[in-house]
């Protein structure tokens, strides 16, 4: 029996970057974005929101930048350890990303977190005319 809901094959996670997926936060009744990042021999899952400004996405849709195994929020340069979610540098230093429980079985990453329901890979589908979020603003 699979350990949870299949998200994606591990090989689909870009090297030195992330894969975004959308979940339903069951208690909040709200869609949220999460990301997968490959570690040495496992995969970690985190909600895709910076801890400096929590409406800002770390992976803006084409994979989060990484430096030395840390996820980088490009907005103000916060670094997050990809295995612990700990912010090691930047304006939210000391904070942690919110974890989403995932596990790998036979080369596939599964969502195993009771708080979330898997909806789809990719970002939240939003109205392209809605530029109210600063992470959507094109300059
Ligand atoms: S919003 Fe991520 S570092 Fe400021």
């Amino acid at each position: 029996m699979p350990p949870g809901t299949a998200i994606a094959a591990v090989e689909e996670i870009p090297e030195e970057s992330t894969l975004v997926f959308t979940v339903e936060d069951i208690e909040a009744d709200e869609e949220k974005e999460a990301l997968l990042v490959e570690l040495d021999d496992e995969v970690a899952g985190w909600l895709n929101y910076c801890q400096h400004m929590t409406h800002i996405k770390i992976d803006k849709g084409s994979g989060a930048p990484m430096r030395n195994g840390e996820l980088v929020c490009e907005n103000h340069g916060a670094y997050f350890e990809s295995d612990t979610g700990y912010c090691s540098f930047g304006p939210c230093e000391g904070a942690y990303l919110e974890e989403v429980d995932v596990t790998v079985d036979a080369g596939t990453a599964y969502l195993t977190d009771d708080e979330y329901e898997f909806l789809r890979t990719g970002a939240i589908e939003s109205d392209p005319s809605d530029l109210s979020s600063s992470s959507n603003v094109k300059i």
Side-chain angles (χ1 to χ4, degrees):
M1 197 171 105
T5 311
I7 304 170
V10 173
E11 65 184 23
E12 291 178 63
I13 304 170
E15 245 175 73
E16 284 290 300
S17 190
T18 53
L19 180 85
V20 165
F21 61 104
T22 300
V23 293
E24 175 84 10
D25 181 328
I26 294 166
E27 197 179 314
D29 192 23
E30 185 184 334
E31 288 190 13
K32 292 188 174 168
E33 281 184 26
L35 57 82
L36 292 175
V37 58
E38 201 172 355
L39 308 176
D40 281 345
D41 51 8
E42 55 180 334
V43 166
W46 307 105
L47 287 186
N48 185 24
Y49 304 103
C50 186
Q51 291 300 301
H52 177 215
M53 295 179 172
T54 53
H55 65 290
I56 297 292
K57 296 172 185 176
I58 296 173
D59 181 333
K60 299 185 191 309
S62 53
M66 290 183 69
R67 302 265 149 66
N68 299 324
E70 293 190 286
L71 300 161
V72 181
C73 175
E74 288 181 306
N75 283 64
H76 310 101
Y79 281 50
F80 297 92
E81 294 175 357
S82 53
D83 56 345
T84 66
Y86 175 73
C87 179
S88 63
F89 177 81
C92 48
E93 189 173 332
Y96 284 86
L97 296 175
E98 288 184 57
E99 186 166 19
V100 177
D101 293 334
V102 295
T103 193
V104 172
D105 186 47
T108 298
Y110 290 87
L111 178 68
T112 54
D113 198 317
D114 293 342
E115 292 177 34
Y116 302 104
E117 183 183 330
F118 175 73
L119 295 178
R120 68 190 87 87
T121 52
I124 291 175
E125 291 158 6
S126 59
D127 179 351
S129 63
D130 176 11
L131 297 179
S132 58
S133 164
S134 64
S135 61
N136 289 335
V137 172
K138 292 191 172 54
I139 299 172

